[in-house]
Structure formats: C-alpha cells, structure tokens
Amino acid sequence: MKTLIIAGHPDLNRSRISKAWNEMLKQQMDITVHVLSEAYPDRTINIPAEQALLERHDRLIFQYPLYWYSTPPILKQWFDEVLEYGWAFGPGGEHLKGKEIGIAISTVGTAASYQPGGYNLFTIRDIAKPVEALANYVGALYLPPFALHNANHVTDEEIAASSEAYLNHLKTVHNVKTPDLLTR
C-alpha cells in the first residue's frame, strides 16, 4: 500500500515533532512525504499536480499540529482547492473512492485534556470529525487518528518514540471503530 503524508505544518523550521516525523517517514519505501509549506511557499497550489499525486497513492494521512481545534490554514486551503467538485465528489468525482484517509496530529494539551470532561471537552476523534466527514463524503475509508500530546513539553526521546509509534500505527491501522490511538 502506497501512503502519502500530506504535511500541513506551516513552518517546519519551528517544529521539532513534524520535522522528526517527516525525517523518519522519508526513509520508508512505500511512503511519500509531501510538505505543503515547502511545495507552495507562496500558497499558490498546483491543483492538477496535487490531484495526480493523490491518484498515485492508496492511503492519505493528513499530518498537522492542531490549530484552534482544526487544521492549519494551508491545509484548509488545500482541502478547499484540491478536493473539487467533479474530481473528489459529485458527478465524475470518484478519484478518492475506496482510498484510506487518516490524520496524525500533535497537540499542546495533554492526553487527559482531550477526553470527555477534560479541559478541551472532546476526544481527538471528536475534534477530527470534519476530516472523518470529508473521508465519508468522498467515499474514502477513515482510519483511527494518531496523536502526540503535550507537544511543548516532550523530550527528544519522547519524540523519537512517537516517531516509531507513528510508523507502527501506519503499518497496523485499519478502518475500524476504535478509541483514539494516543502516544501520550
């Protein structure tokens, strides 16, 4: 299975987690890492190129830091422009049908804060419902999310461990209704 990681971090120079994850993933044979901020520093997205890239992969993982309970702006722009009517949905829009879609995110909050009754009130799965709805709308299969919490306080060792856990997640995850898979 060919996996495409669509990395939506707006500034990899400031990210310890996304940078480490990308470096580890780039060493895998069946994984392509596509960093939106590097591909489109002026934020002018090449829609046909993006769509062709999606067609060459079976699994799409949107990787990003959680921004106000959502995706960073560049990833939202990518969704709006690339997943267009007649290509991703609507008449003739079956290019993502049957593919797998998932997320890998980092959060500043702790794992406990992303539970019912926690500080953020909701689980990561709940917060990521828009991506799950997107997957459903385009006929893709949604995968359980992967998350690393407490991003501002993780050690280099914890980031390395999360990189291995992320890779293991990609190798073993299937479209099933399970609780969030959390590394912290």
Side-chain angles (χ1 to χ4, degrees):
M1 173 170 293
K2 292 181 69 176
T3 300
L4 174 62
I5 307 295
I6 300 170
H9 197 291
D11 184 2
L12 279 181
N13 292 327
R14 293 180 38 214
S15 169
R16 293 171 50 225
I17 296 167
S18 290
K19 191 183 305 184
W21 286 357
N22 290 349
E23 288 172 9
M24 180 269 310
L25 293 170
K26 286 178 181 178
Q27 298 173 22
Q28 307 305 309
M29 290 188 56
D30 290 338
I31 297 178
T32 303
V33 177
H34 181 53
V35 180
L36 295 178
S37 62
E38 291 175 358
Y40 304 110
D42 64 353
R43 303 222 10 198
T44 302
I45 296 173
N46 182 334
I47 296 167
E50 293 297 305
Q51 291 172 344
L53 185 61
L54 293 173
E55 288 180 350
R56 292 192 302 269
H57 292 83
D58 309 301
R59 177 182 279 179
L60 315 172
I61 303 295
F62 300 108
Q63 177 187 298
Y64 56 94
L66 191 63
Y67 269 49
W68 285 106
Y69 308 102
S70 188
T71 64
I74 193 166
L75 186 54
K76 174 62 168 90
Q77 177 188 352
W78 185 94
F79 289 147
D80 291 345
E81 294 180 16
V82 175
L83 305 181
E84 61 189 358
Y85 179 82
W87 188 86
F89 63 96
E94 297 184 355
H95 293 269
L96 299 177
K97 188 174 184 177
K99 292 186 185 283
E100 295 180 345
I101 290 179
I103 64 167
I105 65 173
S106 57
T107 73
V108 173
T110 64
S113 72
Y114 287 97
Q115 300 301 321
Y119 180 80
N120 292 299
L121 300 178
F122 302 100
T123 66
I124 290 300
R125 184 98 188 225
D126 293 333
I127 289 169
K129 288 289 184 192
V131 178
E132 185 172 358
L134 176 157
N136 179 66
Y137 196 69
V138 301
L141 305 170
Y142 187 68
L143 302 171
F146 178 85
L148 175 63
H149 296 290
N150 211 20
N152 289 345
H153 301 287
V154 294
T155 64
D156 290 342
E157 292 78 20
E158 289 170 319
I159 293 172
S162 78
S163 295
E164 290 300 319
Y166 181 14
L167 182 58
N168 187 55
H169 175 78
L170 292 175
K171 290 179 179 179
T172 61
V173 71
H174 300 286
N175 180 32
V176 293
K177 298 289 182 188
T178 60
D180 293 347
L181 300 176
L182 307 174
T183 61
R184 276 180 67 83

Short mmCIF file of all heavy atoms in Angstrom, two decimals, residues 4-50:
data_model
loop_
_atom_site.label_atom_id
_atom_site.label_comp_id
_atom_site.label_asym_id
_atom_site.label_seq_id
_atom_site.Cartn_x
_atom_site.Cartn_y
_atom_site.Cartn_z
N LEU A 4 0.63 8.39 1.26
CA LEU A 4 1.02 9.78 1.06
C LEU A 4 0.76 10.54 2.35
O LEU A 4 -0.36 10.56 2.86
CB LEU A 4 0.20 10.41 -0.08
CG LEU A 4 0.40 11.90 -0.32
CD1 LEU A 4 1.85 12.21 -0.72
CD2 LEU A 4 -0.58 12.40 -1.38
N ILE A 5 1.82 11.14 2.89
CA ILE A 5 1.71 12.00 4.07
C ILE A 5 1.62 13.43 3.55
O ILE A 5 2.55 13.91 2.89
CB ILE A 5 2.93 11.87 5.01
CG1 ILE A 5 3.20 10.41 5.39
CG2 ILE A 5 2.78 12.78 6.22
CD1 ILE A 5 2.12 9.75 6.20
N ILE A 6 0.52 14.08 3.81
CA ILE A 6 0.36 15.48 3.42
C ILE A 6 0.59 16.30 4.69
O ILE A 6 -0.27 16.38 5.56
CB ILE A 6 -1.02 15.74 2.81
CG1 ILE A 6 -1.19 14.86 1.57
CG2 ILE A 6 -1.19 17.22 2.47
CD1 ILE A 6 -2.57 14.82 1.00
N ALA A 7 1.80 16.85 4.78
CA ALA A 7 2.22 17.56 5.98
C ALA A 7 1.79 19.02 5.89
O ALA A 7 2.22 19.75 5.00
CB ALA A 7 3.73 17.46 6.15
N GLY A 8 0.93 19.41 6.82
CA GLY A 8 0.36 20.75 6.79
C GLY A 8 0.94 21.71 7.81
O GLY A 8 0.32 22.72 8.10
N HIS A 9 2.11 21.40 8.35
CA HIS A 9 2.73 22.34 9.30
C HIS A 9 3.16 23.59 8.54
O HIS A 9 3.85 23.48 7.52
CB HIS A 9 3.92 21.70 10.01
CG HIS A 9 4.32 22.44 11.24
ND1 HIS A 9 4.88 23.69 11.21
CD2 HIS A 9 4.20 22.11 12.55
CE1 HIS A 9 5.10 24.10 12.45
NE2 HIS A 9 4.70 23.15 13.28
N PRO A 10 2.79 24.77 9.01
CA PRO A 10 3.12 25.98 8.26
C PRO A 10 4.58 26.40 8.31
O PRO A 10 5.04 27.16 7.46
CB PRO A 10 2.24 27.05 8.89
CG PRO A 10 1.98 26.55 10.27
CD PRO A 10 1.96 25.05 10.18
N ASP A 11 5.34 25.92 9.30
CA ASP A 11 6.74 26.33 9.43
C ASP A 11 7.54 25.19 10.07
O ASP A 11 7.71 25.13 11.28
CB ASP A 11 6.84 27.59 10.29
CG ASP A 11 8.24 28.14 10.39
OD1 ASP A 11 9.18 27.57 9.76
OD2 ASP A 11 8.43 29.15 11.09
N LEU A 12 8.07 24.31 9.22
CA LEU A 12 8.82 23.15 9.74
C LEU A 12 10.08 23.55 10.48
O LEU A 12 10.55 22.78 11.32
CB LEU A 12 9.17 22.20 8.60
CG LEU A 12 8.05 21.26 8.18
CD1 LEU A 12 8.52 20.35 7.07
CD2 LEU A 12 7.56 20.43 9.35
N ASN A 13 10.63 24.72 10.22
CA ASN A 13 11.83 25.15 10.93
C ASN A 13 11.57 25.33 12.42
O ASN A 13 12.48 25.26 13.23
CB ASN A 13 12.37 26.45 10.34
CG ASN A 13 12.91 26.24 8.94
OD1 ASN A 13 13.44 25.17 8.63
ND2 ASN A 13 12.75 27.23 8.09
N ARG A 14 10.32 25.56 12.79
CA ARG A 14 9.96 25.75 14.19
C ARG A 14 9.36 24.50 14.81
O ARG A 14 8.94 24.53 15.97
CB ARG A 14 8.98 26.92 14.30
CG ARG A 14 9.62 28.24 13.95
CD ARG A 14 8.67 29.42 14.07
NE ARG A 14 7.76 29.31 15.21
CZ ARG A 14 6.52 29.76 15.20
NH1 ARG A 14 6.03 30.33 14.14
NH2 ARG A 14 5.76 29.63 16.26
N SER A 15 9.31 23.41 14.09
CA SER A 15 8.65 22.21 14.59
C SER A 15 9.64 21.10 14.89
O SER A 15 10.33 20.63 13.99
CB SER A 15 7.64 21.69 13.56
OG SER A 15 7.19 20.41 13.94
N ARG A 16 9.69 20.67 16.11
CA ARG A 16 10.52 19.51 16.45
C ARG A 16 9.81 18.22 16.07
O ARG A 16 10.41 17.27 15.58
CB ARG A 16 10.83 19.50 17.95
CG ARG A 16 11.70 20.65 18.38
CD ARG A 16 11.82 20.76 19.91
NE ARG A 16 12.17 19.51 20.55
CZ ARG A 16 11.57 19.05 21.66
NH1 ARG A 16 10.61 19.73 22.23
NH2 ARG A 16 11.96 17.91 22.18
N ILE A 17 8.50 18.16 16.30
CA ILE A 17 7.75 16.92 16.10
C ILE A 17 7.55 16.61 14.63
O ILE A 17 7.92 15.54 14.16
CB ILE A 17 6.40 17.00 16.85
CG1 ILE A 17 6.67 17.08 18.36
CG2 ILE A 17 5.52 15.81 16.50
CD1 ILE A 17 5.48 17.47 19.19
N SER A 18 6.95 17.52 13.88
CA SER A 18 6.71 17.26 12.45
C SER A 18 8.01 17.02 11.70
O SER A 18 8.07 16.16 10.83
CB SER A 18 5.95 18.43 11.81
OG SER A 18 4.62 18.45 12.28
N LYS A 19 9.02 17.77 12.05
CA LYS A 19 10.33 17.58 11.40
C LYS A 19 10.85 16.16 11.65
O LYS A 19 11.29 15.48 10.73
CB LYS A 19 11.33 18.62 11.90
CG LYS A 19 12.60 18.66 11.09
CD LYS A 19 13.63 19.65 11.66
CE LYS A 19 13.05 21.02 11.79
NZ LYS A 19 14.03 22.02 12.24
N ALA A 20 10.80 15.71 12.89
CA ALA A 20 11.27 14.35 13.23
C ALA A 20 10.41 13.29 12.54
O ALA A 20 10.95 12.32 11.99
CB ALA A 20 11.25 14.15 14.74
N TRP A 21 9.11 13.47 12.57
CA TRP A 21 8.23 12.52 11.90
C TRP A 21 8.55 12.44 10.41
O TRP A 21 8.66 11.36 9.85
CB TRP A 21 6.77 12.90 12.10
CG TRP A 21 6.21 12.64 13.47
CD1 TRP A 21 6.85 12.04 14.53
CD2 TRP A 21 4.91 12.96 13.92
NE1 TRP A 21 5.99 11.99 15.61
CE2 TRP A 21 4.81 12.54 15.27
CE3 TRP A 21 3.81 13.58 13.34
CZ2 TRP A 21 3.64 12.71 16.02
CZ3 TRP A 21 2.65 13.75 14.09
CH2 TRP A 21 2.58 13.32 15.41
N ASN A 22 8.70 13.59 9.77
CA ASN A 22 8.97 13.61 8.32
C ASN A 22 10.29 12.94 7.99
O ASN A 22 10.38 12.18 7.02
CB ASN A 22 8.97 15.03 7.79
CG ASN A 22 7.59 15.64 7.79
OD1 ASN A 22 6.59 14.97 7.98
ND2 ASN A 22 7.53 16.94 7.59
N GLU A 23 11.33 13.21 8.77
CA GLU A 23 12.64 12.60 8.51
C GLU A 23 12.56 11.08 8.59
O GLU A 23 13.12 10.37 7.77
CB GLU A 23 13.68 13.15 9.49
CG GLU A 23 14.06 14.59 9.20
CD GLU A 23 14.95 15.20 10.27
OE1 GLU A 23 15.42 14.47 11.17
OE2 GLU A 23 15.16 16.42 10.22
N MET A 24 11.84 10.57 9.59
CA MET A 24 11.70 9.13 9.75
C MET A 24 10.87 8.55 8.61
O MET A 24 11.23 7.53 8.04
CB MET A 24 11.05 8.83 11.12
CG MET A 24 10.83 7.36 11.42
SD MET A 24 9.22 6.71 10.92
CE MET A 24 8.07 7.88 11.59
N LEU A 25 9.78 9.19 8.26
CA LEU A 25 8.88 8.67 7.23
C LEU A 25 9.53 8.68 5.84
O LEU A 25 9.27 7.79 5.03
CB LEU A 25 7.58 9.46 7.20
CG LEU A 25 6.69 9.29 8.43
CD1 LEU A 25 5.56 10.31 8.41
CD2 LEU A 25 6.16 7.87 8.54
N LYS A 26 10.38 9.67 5.57
CA LYS A 26 11.03 9.76 4.26
C LYS A 26 11.96 8.57 4.00
O LYS A 26 12.31 8.31 2.86
CB LYS A 26 11.82 11.07 4.15
CG LYS A 26 10.93 12.27 3.95
CD LYS A 26 11.74 13.56 3.88
CE LYS A 26 10.83 14.75 3.72
NZ LYS A 26 11.58 16.02 3.69
N GLN A 27 12.34 7.84 5.04
CA GLN A 27 13.21 6.68 4.89
C GLN A 27 12.45 5.41 4.52
O GLN A 27 13.06 4.39 4.25
CB GLN A 27 13.99 6.45 6.18
CG GLN A 27 14.89 7.61 6.55
CD GLN A 27 15.50 7.44 7.91
OE1 GLN A 27 15.61 6.34 8.44
NE2 GLN A 27 15.91 8.55 8.52
N GLN A 28 11.12 5.48 4.50
CA GLN A 28 10.30 4.31 4.21
C GLN A 28 10.02 4.21 2.71
O GLN A 28 9.72 5.22 2.07
CB GLN A 28 8.98 4.38 4.99
CG GLN A 28 9.15 4.61 6.48
CD GLN A 28 10.05 3.59 7.13
OE1 GLN A 28 9.86 2.39 6.97
NE2 GLN A 28 11.05 4.06 7.89
N MET A 29 10.06 3.02 2.17
CA MET A 29 9.92 2.83 0.73
C MET A 29 8.52 3.14 0.19
O MET A 29 8.39 3.68 -0.89
CB MET A 29 10.31 1.40 0.35
CG MET A 29 11.80 1.17 0.49
SD MET A 29 12.31 -0.42 -0.14
CE MET A 29 11.71 -0.37 -1.80
N ASP A 30 7.48 2.79 0.91
CA ASP A 30 6.12 2.96 0.40
C ASP A 30 5.44 4.21 0.92
O ASP A 30 4.22 4.32 0.87
CB ASP A 30 5.27 1.73 0.75
CG ASP A 30 5.70 0.50 -0.04
OD1 ASP A 30 6.33 0.68 -1.10
OD2 ASP A 30 5.43 -0.62 0.41
N ILE A 31 6.23 5.16 1.44
CA ILE A 31 5.65 6.38 2.00
C ILE A 31 6.27 7.59 1.28
O ILE A 31 7.47 7.71 1.16
CB ILE A 31 5.90 6.48 3.51
CG1 ILE A 31 5.19 5.34 4.24
CG2 ILE A 31 5.44 7.84 4.04
CD1 ILE A 31 5.42 5.31 5.74
N THR A 32 5.39 8.48 0.83
CA THR A 32 5.80 9.75 0.23
C THR A 32 5.41 10.84 1.21
O THR A 32 4.26 10.90 1.66
CB THR A 32 5.07 10.00 -1.11
OG1 THR A 32 5.34 8.91 -1.99
CG2 THR A 32 5.50 11.30 -1.74
N VAL A 33 6.35 11.72 1.55
CA VAL A 33 6.06 12.85 2.43
C VAL A 33 6.00 14.10 1.56
O VAL A 33 6.95 14.44 0.86
CB VAL A 33 7.13 13.01 3.52
CG1 VAL A 33 6.84 14.24 4.38
CG2 VAL A 33 7.20 11.75 4.39
N HIS A 34 4.86 14.76 1.60
CA HIS A 34 4.61 15.96 0.79
C HIS A 34 4.35 17.12 1.74
O HIS A 34 3.30 17.17 2.40
CB HIS A 34 3.42 15.70 -0.12
CG HIS A 34 3.06 16.82 -1.03
ND1 HIS A 34 3.96 17.43 -1.88
CD2 HIS A 34 1.87 17.43 -1.24
CE1 HIS A 34 3.34 18.37 -2.56
NE2 HIS A 34 2.07 18.39 -2.20
N VAL A 35 5.30 18.04 1.85
CA VAL A 35 5.20 19.17 2.78
C VAL A 35 4.63 20.37 2.04
O VAL A 35 5.29 20.94 1.16
CB VAL A 35 6.59 19.50 3.39
CG1 VAL A 35 6.48 20.66 4.36
CG2 VAL A 35 7.18 18.26 4.07
N LEU A 36 3.42 20.75 2.39
CA LEU A 36 2.74 21.82 1.66
C LEU A 36 3.46 23.16 1.74
O LEU A 36 3.54 23.87 0.74
CB LEU A 36 1.30 21.96 2.18
CG LEU A 36 0.38 20.77 1.94
CD1 LEU A 36 -1.00 21.02 2.53
CD2 LEU A 36 0.29 20.44 0.46
N SER A 37 4.00 23.51 2.90
CA SER A 37 4.68 24.81 3.04
C SER A 37 5.96 24.88 2.21
O SER A 37 6.35 25.96 1.78
CB SER A 37 4.98 25.12 4.51
OG SER A 37 5.86 24.14 5.05
N GLU A 38 6.59 23.74 1.95
CA GLU A 38 7.78 23.72 1.09
C GLU A 38 7.38 23.72 -0.38
O GLU A 38 8.00 24.38 -1.21
CB GLU A 38 8.64 22.50 1.40
CG GLU A 38 9.31 22.57 2.76
CD GLU A 38 10.07 21.30 3.11
OE1 GLU A 38 10.06 20.33 2.33
OE2 GLU A 38 10.66 21.28 4.20
N ALA A 39 6.34 22.98 -0.72
CA ALA A 39 5.89 22.91 -2.11
C ALA A 39 5.25 24.21 -2.57
O ALA A 39 5.35 24.58 -3.75
CB ALA A 39 4.89 21.76 -2.28
N TYR A 40 4.61 24.92 -1.65
CA TYR A 40 3.87 26.13 -2.01
C TYR A 40 4.16 27.28 -1.04
O TYR A 40 3.28 27.72 -0.29
CB TYR A 40 2.36 25.82 -2.04
CG TYR A 40 2.04 24.69 -2.97
CD1 TYR A 40 1.62 23.46 -2.48
CD2 TYR A 40 2.20 24.84 -4.35
CE1 TYR A 40 1.35 22.41 -3.34
CE2 TYR A 40 1.95 23.79 -5.21
CZ TYR A 40 1.52 22.58 -4.70
OH TYR A 40 1.27 21.55 -5.56
N PRO A 41 5.39 27.80 -1.04
CA PRO A 41 5.71 28.89 -0.11
C PRO A 41 4.88 30.15 -0.37
O PRO A 41 4.65 30.93 0.55
CB PRO A 41 7.21 29.14 -0.35
CG PRO A 41 7.49 28.56 -1.69
CD PRO A 41 6.53 27.43 -1.88
N ASP A 42 4.41 30.32 -1.60
CA ASP A 42 3.56 31.47 -1.92
C ASP A 42 2.08 31.15 -1.79
O ASP A 42 1.22 31.97 -2.10
CB ASP A 42 3.86 31.98 -3.33
CG ASP A 42 3.52 30.96 -4.42
OD1 ASP A 42 3.17 29.81 -4.09
OD2 ASP A 42 3.61 31.33 -5.60
N ARG A 43 1.77 29.89 -1.38
CA ARG A 43 0.41 29.40 -1.16
C ARG A 43 -0.42 29.36 -2.43
O ARG A 43 -1.64 29.35 -2.39
CB ARG A 43 -0.29 30.21 -0.07
CG ARG A 43 0.48 30.17 1.22
CD ARG A 43 -0.16 30.00 2.49
NE ARG A 43 -1.54 29.66 2.55
CZ ARG A 43 -2.27 29.83 3.63
NH1 ARG A 43 -1.72 30.38 4.70
NH2 ARG A 43 -3.52 29.46 3.67
N THR A 44 0.24 29.26 -3.58
CA THR A 44 -0.46 29.04 -4.84
C THR A 44 -0.34 27.56 -5.16
O THR A 44 0.71 27.07 -5.58
CB THR A 44 0.17 29.89 -5.98
OG1 THR A 44 0.12 31.26 -5.60
CG2 THR A 44 -0.58 29.68 -7.28
N ILE A 45 -1.42 26.83 -4.94
CA ILE A 45 -1.42 25.37 -5.04
C ILE A 45 -1.65 24.92 -6.48
O ILE A 45 -2.56 25.41 -7.15
CB ILE A 45 -2.48 24.78 -4.09
CG1 ILE A 45 -2.10 25.11 -2.64
CG2 ILE A 45 -2.62 23.28 -4.30
CD1 ILE A 45 -3.14 24.73 -1.61
N ASN A 46 -0.82 24.00 -6.93
CA ASN A 46 -0.95 23.42 -8.27
C ASN A 46 -1.96 22.27 -8.18
O ASN A 46 -1.60 21.14 -7.83
CB ASN A 46 0.42 22.92 -8.76
CG ASN A 46 0.36 22.34 -10.15
OD1 ASN A 46 -0.67 21.87 -10.61
ND2 ASN A 46 1.51 22.37 -10.82
N ILE A 47 -3.19 22.56 -8.48
CA ILE A 47 -4.27 21.60 -8.28
C ILE A 47 -4.09 20.33 -9.11
O ILE A 47 -4.19 19.23 -8.56
CB ILE A 47 -5.64 22.27 -8.52
CG1 ILE A 47 -5.85 23.36 -7.47
CG2 ILE A 47 -6.78 21.25 -8.50
CD1 ILE A 47 -6.98 24.30 -7.75
N PRO A 48 -3.81 20.41 -10.42
CA PRO A 48 -3.63 19.17 -11.19
C PRO A 48 -2.48 18.30 -10.65
O PRO A 48 -2.59 17.08 -10.61
CB PRO A 48 -3.34 19.65 -12.61
CG PRO A 48 -3.96 21.01 -12.68
CD PRO A 48 -3.79 21.59 -11.30
N ALA A 49 -1.39 18.93 -10.22
CA ALA A 49 -0.26 18.17 -9.67
C ALA A 49 -0.66 17.48 -8.37
O ALA A 49 -0.29 16.32 -8.13
CB ALA A 49 0.94 19.08 -9.45
N GLU A 50 -1.41 18.17 -7.53
CA GLU A 50 -1.86 17.58 -6.27
C GLU A 50 -2.81 16.41 -6.52
O GLU A 50 -2.70 15.37 -5.88
CB GLU A 50 -2.54 18.63 -5.39
CG GLU A 50 -1.61 19.71 -4.88
CD GLU A 50 -0.52 19.17 -3.97
OE1 GLU A 50 -0.83 18.51 -2.97
OE2 GLU A 50 0.67 19.41 -4.26
#
